[in-house]
Amino acid sequence: VERKENASPVIIQEELINMGISAGTAQALTTSPSLAQGSLATISYFKEQENTQGVASLANWLTHNKEQIDYTSPEQLVYRYKETKSSLISDEALINKWVERAVKENPETVAEIKAGKTPAIAFLIGQVQKLAKGKANAIVIQTLLKRSL
């Protein structure tokens, strides 16, 4: 998979959004040219292999593993993502503890979400993942966050 060496992070960010990745995640993956190019190459490779199923989950995983993007091939990153995904935590009771903590520790973000700024939920998902060391199932996190808010 080739990296788009001449594409600017802004162009790549738009391309990631068009692939179905949230604006917040796309922004986090395009903070530098090399990060943007590596993210796009990895997600494009994944889409070639897996179609579009799981692209958002991969993008979220990449935001927590940015340091690997510059020196790891897209193929290796997808392999590592799949390995991690197979060991995800889906226990709702455990994840709910992290959700409750993230909600309690981020009242400003909760207020934004309640005011209708739904993209802010991606930040809370990231906070829960930080507490879970990236091992929590993002779909379960999102479901529990929506329930608690």
Side-chain angles (χ1 to χ4, degrees):
V1 173
E2 295 293 316
R3 293 179 183 236
K4 290 190 173 187
E5 299 296 335
N6 296 325
S8 75
V10 173
I11 300 289
I12 292 174
Q13 183 176 347
E14 290 173 12
E15 199 166 331
L16 292 174
I17 291 169
N18 289 335
M19 292 174 146
I21 294 164
S22 74
T25 300
Q27 184 176 14
L29 292 173
T30 55
T31 55
S32 74
S34 63
L35 178 62
Q37 293 157 6
S39 298
L40 180 60
T42 301
I43 292 166
S44 296
Y45 173 77
F46 182 80
K47 278 185 75 172
E48 290 171 12
Q49 304 302 310
E50 309 287 330
N51 297 318
T52 58
Q53 189 75 349
V55 170
S57 177
L58 170 64
N60 190 35
W61 181 84
L62 286 171
T63 65
H64 297 285
N65 294 277
K66 289 187 221 178
E67 70 282 352
Q68 296 182 37
I69 294 173
D70 278 342
Y71 65 87
T72 309
S73 72
E75 296 82 3
Q76 266 303 93
L77 287 167
V78 168
Y79 175 78
R80 288 179 187 171
Y81 163 73
K82 287 179 179 179
E83 273 189 334
T84 302
K85 189 175 177 196
S86 68
S87 64
L88 285 180
I89 299 167
S90 293
D91 179 340
E92 285 192 19
L94 177 59
I95 294 173
N96 200 48
K97 289 179 183 179
W98 292 321
V99 166
E100 289 171 355
R101 182 172 168 193
V103 167
K104 183 180 177 184
E105 292 177 357
N106 296 283
E108 308 85 20
T109 305
V110 171
E112 287 179 23
I113 294 166
K114 288 182 177 180
K117 294 183 180 177
T118 54
I121 201 160
F123 175 78
L124 283 181
I125 291 170
Q127 295 306 297
V128 173
Q129 286 290 26
K130 186 185 286 185
L131 293 168
K133 296 181 175 61
K135 297 279 187 186
N137 184 320
I139 295 169
V140 175
I141 295 171
Q142 189 168 14
T143 301
L144 294 173
L145 276 170
K146 286 181 178 179
R147 257 190 238 156
S148 73
L149 301 174

